[in-house]
Amino acid sequence: MRTPLIAGNWKMYKTPREAVSFIRELKTAVADVEGVEILLCPAFPALVPAAEAAQGSPVKIGAQDMYWEREGAFTGQVSAAMLRDAGCDYVIIGHSERRQYFGETDEAVARKVRAALDAGLTPIVCVGETIDQRRADQTAAVIERQVRGGLEGLRAREVAGLVVAYEPVWAIGTGLTASPEDAQQVNALIRAFVARLYDAGTAAAVRIQYGGSVKPANAASLMGQPDIDGALVGGASLKTEDFAGIIKAAREVRK
Ligand code: PGA
């Protein structure tokens, strides 16, 4: 049984102060929730206060990106060890906004995933097709290329412990959600591909989230799909009520 992971990707929103007051509210809202793993990914300056505010609660903290080198003269970059020491358990890698605006390649994703695992962080590896690729019937090919490229060089045991997030680019921040059936189809395809690359046990263990305009209203139907193991939530993770609503929907579905 895979524990669903509901993760909030705050992107470039919320100051350290705003992050702390959000987490205080969220802790109360989800105090009785069991069977769902809860994660928030604030911007770098908010990581330490967020991790302190979340201490002693089920809320875990992750980062939105990192660099693969351990340390050095890389102005503006942040290492996996720094994130670990800041209180992070997770790190999002290869988000479509990183690919689109900052030129992140599958090769860079693989190097970051390797470095994250070496530092004891759990990577959330994001994959997803654009609308043009979907219309041209290239979804499966694009996803396979991103999964193969992003997991390059990893051992089965490492893949079993990480998280893949399927996020169709056309569904991110647009209010357009993939239908539960379409999302399930791609998540199942990713799992089958992991089985081919590795083995059935690894495929059964790896958690595969869906992301792209997840809201309290559509969360239950998405989370009810057999191969959707949680959600990566952008916009709706910025309001306590919405994010708690998604967490509760995931819990209800798993009962
Ligand atoms: P959204 O973002 O929920 O605002 O569509 C999802 C994401 O980018 O992870």
Side-chain angles (χ1 to χ4, degrees):
M1 186 78 176
R2 299 179 295 266
T3 305
L5 172 66
I6 303 297
N9 171 14
W10 279 354
K11 310 192 179 184
M12 205 171 74
Y13 293 98
K14 293 199 193 291
T15 65
R17 253 182 263 269
E18 288 165 347
V20 167
S21 71
F22 181 100
I23 290 166
R24 290 202 182 123
E25 265 180 59
L26 183 69
K27 275 161 65 169
T28 317
V30 299
D32 58 341
V33 172
E34 280 173 14
V36 178
E37 206 178 336
I38 304 168
L39 174 68
L40 283 174
C41 300
F44 291 135
L47 289 176
V48 170
E52 280 166 8
Q55 226 168 35
S57 85
V59 180
K60 294 180 180 168
I61 301 298
Q64 300 170 16
D65 185 33
M66 51 164 271
Y67 191 51
W68 58 74
E69 294 288 347
R70 277 169 198 272
E71 59 182 7
F74 303 104
T75 302
Q77 298 292 0
V78 171
S79 76
M82 291 171 186
L83 297 180
R84 198 77 187 103
D85 196 46
C88 291
D89 289 311
Y90 285 83
V91 58
I92 298 171
I93 295 178
H95 188 277
S96 71
E97 287 151 17
R98 302 273 347 147
R99 296 177 190 259
Q100 198 179 335
Y101 304 134
F102 303 100
E104 191 139 308
T105 61
D106 289 332
E107 196 203 343
V109 171
R111 294 178 82 163
K112 291 181 179 188
V113 169
R114 175 75 268 152
L117 288 167
D118 288 344
L121 291 168
T122 302
I124 299 177
V125 185
C126 301
V127 298
E129 82 287 1
T130 63
I131 193 63
D132 289 344
Q133 290 165 335
R134 173 159 282 257
R135 287 191 181 130
D137 228 358
Q138 292 169 349
T139 301
V142 168
I143 299 295
E144 288 197 5
R145 189 175 68 230
Q146 291 175 338
V147 170
R148 184 194 296 276
L151 305 185
E152 180 77 45
L154 301 187
R155 288 183 283 270
R157 180 173 45 78
E158 293 170 328
V159 174
L162 57 72
V163 179
V164 176
Y166 167 54
E167 298 205 297
V169 177
W170 48 271
I172 296 177
T174 56
L176 296 172
T177 316
S179 70
E181 295 73 25
D182 284 350
Q184 161 60 24
Q185 194 182 21
V186 177
N187 278 37
L189 182 145
I190 294 170
R191 202 177 300 287
F193 190 55
V194 170
R196 264 191 285 143
L197 284 177
Y198 294 91
D199 54 74
T202 304
V206 65
R207 286 185 293 176
I208 308 173
Q209 298 176 302
Y210 167 79
S213 300
V214 176
K215 309 259 181 288
N218 59 28
S221 57
L222 286 159
M223 298 308 116
Q225 298 297 320
D227 287 296
I228 300 183
D229 308 315
L232 185 52
V233 186
S237 73
L238 295 170
K239 286 198 185 130
T240 329
E241 201 184 318
D242 289 348
F243 193 53
I246 293 169
I247 293 164
K248 286 174 184 167
R251 178 196 57 185
E252 292 306 316
V253 164
R254 289 288 149 151
K255 269 188 178 166

